[in-house]
Amino acid sequence: MVTEHHDPPPLPGGVGLSGLRVYPWDTADGLHGGSPHLHLTCTECYVVLGGSGELHTLTPAGLRRVPLRPGDAVWFTPGTVHRAVNIADLRVQVVM
């Protein structure tokens, strides 16, 4: 489930931080970004540092595309299939 930055889920246990410059090359569907994947035990947050893009998520509620712009913080819960799509030099700080 993707929630707005004002309603973040709790972060259990340890917290990891990593910088991510989203892949700029084409994928099989013609977009730029990583492969859809999921984490079974981690809540994750993308804090957008620069550029623009989209976060694509898939949950039992369906497919969702969330615009990503500098200053945005987007959370999603464990088990959410997700993928970052790079539109223009997308850079994020990942909190897990």
Side-chain angles (χ1 to χ4, degrees):
M1 172 180 182
V2 176
T3 59
E4 298 298 324
H5 68 328
H6 62 272
D7 189 23
L11 291 169
V15 174
L17 298 174
S18 60
L20 175 64
R21 184 175 210 132
V22 179
Y23 308 120
W25 51 78
D26 289 342
T27 57
D29 60 4
L31 300 176
H32 299 77
S35 299
H37 64 282
L38 62 92
H39 308 280
L40 295 176
T41 59
C42 296
T43 294
E44 191 167 354
C45 175
Y46 287 172
V47 179
V48 182
L49 302 176
S52 65
E54 293 180 333
L55 173 66
H56 295 183
T57 61
L58 181 62
T59 66
L63 177 65
R64 187 165 175 207
R65 294 175 184 223
V66 178
L68 299 174
R69 295 174 302 275
D72 288 348
V74 181
W75 294 86
F76 46 98
T77 57
T80 299
V81 177
H82 61 282
R83 163 190 193 194
V85 174
N86 188 349
I87 294 173
D89 193 30
L90 180 60
R91 290 170 282 115
V92 300
Q93 178 72 51
V94 180
V95 180
M96 292 178 75

